[in-house]
Amino acid sequence: MKNKVYWVICICPLWLFLSNCVDKFNAHLPESSIGLLIVEGSIISDSAVVFSLSRSFSLDVEGVPPDFNKVDAEVCVTGEDGSSFRGVALGNGKYRVAVGTLHRDVRYSLKIVYEGDIYTSEPQYPIGTESIDDVTYEQQGEYGDVSIRFSMQSKDAACYSWSYEEDWEVRAVYNPMCAYDPKTDKIVDYDARPYSRGWCHSESSEIIIGNMEINKDNRVKDKCLYSVGADDIRFSHYYSTLVKQRKISKGEYEYYQEKIKLNEEMGGLFVPQPSELPSNIRCDNSDKQAIGYVGVSLNVAEYRIFISTDDIQYRLPDGYCQGAKGLKEEFTFLDLYLMGYTIAYPDPNPATGFKGYAWVSGSCTDVRYLGASLEKPPFWSVEVNPKLRSHE
């Protein structure tokens, strides 16, 4: 019983989740806190990093202001050794910076020039991150959720941040040799099945932080990072997850910890005034405030695994890719196309087909409807070995 109590006290407080939703970050600020610069991103050695700039706004206005992330600025990473890495604008307040090699004995900071003001993050020495020991998966019970778990050990009881990227292969349920062409209003034949296989990609929208000081032996063993339902299409063929680990400073940890705490206390609809968050970004030439915390890292530890449908108990969602029903006789092929239907196969039977064809949801014949790319990821082998693990 004592052992169980220990785990509740020492493990549960370790994990804090923070959503990146805009409405949780901008709400009911006092007038003096409207229009403040918000900075998101980290400086990482030998990496192309993206910094997101936006402005705080009040949710008293209806909807999200269309210009909240229209921030025209100059962004660069600078080192006290004179090094400088300039950012390139991507649009919508995003700036990509190709950061070169950072040195342990040099402090680095982010510099932003915006509307005549210069904002600078506190100079910091880059922090190195230990490797992830292992990433595994576990399915609880018959057709239960699949949990992604990881293990690691901290050398110095430090603070960490974890995130993950998902990639999964999708295939069309039906592989028709013909399709409706809305440009010609005709049924055209395929020489091949061009849209039957693709790959989807997603990045975690939450930030997960932990303080290893409160964990026994500074170790985490088979800790659940996230779970996916057994009927999720991500597991329909092959699935891959890349778990990322970054050691962060106590100040960065406290910034996210306080942000999470304040959001939870106010039901996720309150944004604290800048003075309530331990931001490390200052305006050099005025008393304007900014919101954000820019960390500096020597590296990010990564660990990738693959999961095959054969490795778990998977089932398609109920009713997935069943034929279209209730189609009206007056519908045209263009009507069906605009409704998101595609041809699955010729079907002259009027009881099951519609005007000579069986129609299904577009995602059942064309993976592009699922948001998939037809370009295979570079780390995806021709035939993925479902038992393969890649430790990067």
Side-chain angles (χ1 to χ4, degrees), residues 59-282:
L59 284 189
D60 291 335
V61 299
E62 184 176 351
V64 177
D67 61 345
F68 87 100
N69 60 354
K70 305 300 182 185
V71 179
D72 185 10
E74 295 179 12
V75 176
C76 68
V77 171
T78 61
E80 292 183 335
D81 60 351
S83 59
S84 179
F85 311 102
R86 190 169 297 277
V88 177
L90 303 176
N92 294 327
K94 296 186 181 297
Y95 293 82
R96 182 178 61 237
V97 181
V99 180
T101 301
L102 305 184
H103 303 283
R104 291 181 181 272
D105 57 351
V106 177
R107 296 195 302 176
Y108 299 88
S109 61
L110 179 68
K111 179 181 178 181
I112 302 170
V113 180
Y114 173 56
E115 293 187 340
D117 293 312
I118 301 175
Y119 297 85
T120 306
S121 67
E122 177 187 358
Q124 299 178 71
Y125 293 106
I127 301 174
T129 301
E130 301 95 329
S131 62
I132 301 172
D133 293 337
D134 194 19
V135 175
T136 61
Y137 63 90
E138 181 181 36
Q139 185 173 31
Q140 293 285 350
E142 185 176 359
Y143 297 104
D145 290 352
V146 179
S147 59
I148 305 300
R149 301 173 176 271
F150 76 100
S151 302
M152 61 84 64
Q153 183 170 20
S154 174
K155 295 180 180 179
D156 50 6
C159 301
Y160 294 84
S161 171
W162 292 271
S163 61
Y164 53 91
E165 294 185 15
E166 301 172 280
D167 292 271
W168 60 97
E169 181 178 333
V170 289
R171 299 179 188 177
V173 174
Y174 299 98
N175 295 302
M177 296 299 291
C178 63
Y180 170 72
D181 183 359
K183 294 181 180 180
T184 62
D185 195 29
K186 296 181 182 298
I187 306 298
V188 296
D189 294 330
Y190 285 148
D191 293 331
R193 299 179 176 93
Y195 311 121
S196 61
R197 186 186 186 195
W199 291 264
C200 297
H201 177 81
S202 177
E203 298 183 8
S204 55
S205 59
E206 65 273 354
I207 296 173
I208 307 166
I209 58 174
N211 185 349
M212 298 299 292
E213 288 181 347
I214 60 176
N215 210 36
K216 184 178 180 180
D217 300 327
N218 304 328
R219 181 187 295 274
V220 169
K221 178 66 174 176
D222 294 330
K223 181 62 185 179
C224 180
L225 188 65
Y226 66 97
S227 297
V228 182
D231 61 349
D232 195 291
I233 195 172
R234 283 174 283 183
F235 288 136
S236 60
H237 291 282
Y238 292 113
Y239 173 85
S240 177
T241 182
L242 177 67
V243 176
K244 297 184 176 183
Q245 172 178 285
R246 184 171 67 90
K247 183 183 289 186
I248 60 178
S249 67
K250 191 66 175 293
E252 186 173 359
Y253 172 80
E254 290 174 348
Y255 169 80
Y256 287 118
Q257 184 183 43
E258 189 65 20
K259 193 172 173 183
I260 296 167
K261 176 184 175 182
L262 291 168
N263 275 321
E264 289 178 345
E265 289 177 352
M266 301 303 295
L269 294 175
F270 176 76
V271 173
Q273 298 183 45
S275 60
E276 295 179 275
L277 283 174
S279 173
N280 74 340
I281 304 170
R282 302 290 181 267

